[in-house]
Amino acid sequence: MTDILDTEAIRGFRRMCEDGWLEGWHERNGGNLTYRMSDADVAAARPGFSAAPREWVEMGITAENLAGEFFVTTGSGKFLRNVALDAAANVGIVELNGTGSAYRVVWGLEGGAVPTSELPTHLMNHSIRKQVTDGANRVIYHCHATNVIALTYVLPLTARDFTRALWQSATECPVVFPEGVGVCPWMVPGGADIAMATSELMRTYQAVVWAQHGLFASGPDFDVTFGLAHTIEKSAEIYWKVLATGRPIAQTITDDALRAIARDFGVQLNEDFLD
Ligand code: 13P
Ligand code: ZN
């Protein structure tokens, strides 16, 4: 019998937690990750599920199109730094009930740990991304990406301002997120309100910035989702390095150049963000 820790889903999940920690985006228990398992993932992991699953827990949100699905999730208050050392204590697998309103832990989160406090936001985002990508998206990642957070103190909190700053700071950005990035004003984390606000933005955007808090990124697998967060954070870092010189910007990527990138790479840029 395959050890659950050796399954592809858990190995990929552990690696992504480790990669985010190494980038410096997960101080203390900062950030969280969830993965919507495929049928093959569930079949591979099922032999390792607890004989007696825990009680059902109502979530305060309902994600109908996720009913009966299984998710790998980080634990609330758990440090992503520790996931590689002891996944069963810091990560778990939860099953959603037949209406998508409650979960129960079927593996991991040992010692009475519970899923991330951002589970409502993750699941609402999964629900929307599953819908708008015809089931292709499976990963939702929340990180405290330093340079992105810092930008939320100086840029107007609009999708247009953030998207233009990021597109202009690194040539691959318009290719990686041609629709732009969404921006959520500061809100109390962990509740249904921020879950609704974020998931509405995720209808349009693959990634959403949380003012003075961090970034949410979505994608079909761990590589693409981590790559999206990495690309956005790197672009924000470049923007800061430019600002930090205090020198006037002599040139940037023009709107015509952005359109030329889109044409040659075959992507459709969000015209709302071009002049
Ligand atoms: P959790 O430890 O509950 O996942 O919370 C961390 C966090 O980043 C909240 O936004
Ligand atoms: Zn956070």
Side-chain angles (χ1 to χ4, degrees):
M1 186 179 80
T2 314
D3 186 329
I4 210 163
L5 295 176
D6 288 330
T7 58
E8 209 180 313
I10 299 292
R11 277 197 284 117
F13 194 96
R14 286 168 67 164
R15 179 171 178 228
M16 183 146 163
C17 292
E18 176 83 347
D19 286 347
W21 156 250
L22 292 173
E23 288 295 332
W25 304 336
H26 298 294
E27 74 291 343
R28 203 174 183 281
N29 65 308
N32 25 71
L33 174 64
T34 55
Y35 169 67
R36 184 168 61 84
M37 299 170 81
S38 67
D39 290 346
D41 292 323
V42 176
R46 199 182 281 281
F49 286 179
S50 319
R54 290 196 222 159
E55 295 295 299
W56 290 105
V57 179
E58 287 294 331
M59 298 185 291
I61 54 119
T62 299
E64 273 173 34
N65 66 340
L66 303 180
E69 296 221 50
F70 290 80
F71 293 83
V72 187
T73 175
T74 48
S76 186
K78 298 299 183 183
F79 297 15
L80 267 68
R81 175 174 167 244
N82 291 335
V83 170
L85 290 182
D86 188 353
N90 295 287
V91 166
I93 297 177
V94 297
E95 175 185 11
L96 295 201
N97 66 357
T99 56
S101 68
Y103 73 83
R104 65 177 177 179
V105 177
V106 297
W107 173 81
L109 293 171
E110 286 173 351
V114 295
T116 171
S117 60
E118 305 293 3
L119 193 66
T121 297
H122 279 254
L123 292 179
M124 291 303 292
N125 287 346
H126 275 292
S127 174
I128 296 282
R129 295 305 299 173
K130 181 182 177 187
Q131 190 190 325
V132 300
T133 66
D134 277 335
N137 275 197
R138 295 192 170 274
V139 181
I140 298 289
Y141 178 46
H142 169 51
C143 60
H144 293 179
T146 317
N147 291 286
V148 172
I149 297 170
L151 278 187
T152 68
Y153 290 81
V154 299
L155 285 183
L157 295 175
T158 72
R160 183 181 163 88
D161 284 285
F162 271 75
T163 299
R164 287 184 66 79
L166 294 167
W167 278 355
Q168 289 173 345
S169 298
T171 293
E172 93 254 43
C173 283
V175 179
V176 176
F177 49 97
E179 74 289 353
V181 293
V183 180
C184 192
W186 189 90
M187 294 174 78
V188 177
D193 289 348
I194 198 166
M196 298 301 286
T198 310
S199 62
E200 267 316 305
L201 291 167
M202 281 261 172
R203 200 178 284 285
T204 305
Y205 306 106
Q206 302 173 75
V208 172
V209 174
W210 273 9
Q212 291 83 46
H213 187 144
L215 181 67
F216 265 86
S218 63
D221 57 32
F222 297 119
D223 277 350
V224 172
T225 311
F226 189 80
L228 174 62
H230 204 185
T231 303
I232 292 171
E233 169 64 2
K234 173 94 186 260
S235 189
E237 182 180 358
I238 293 166
Y239 190 79
W240 274 120
K241 285 186 191 299
V242 172
L243 288 186
T245 64
R247 297 174 57 160
I249 293 177
Q251 58 276 319
T252 186
I253 305 172
T254 64
D255 285 41
D256 282 348
L258 290 169
R259 287 192 173 94
I261 296 168
R263 186 191 60 231
D264 283 12
F265 283 81
V267 297
Q268 183 71 46
L269 284 189
N270 190 333
E271 282 289 328
D272 292 348
F273 303 150
L274 292 172
D275 286 335

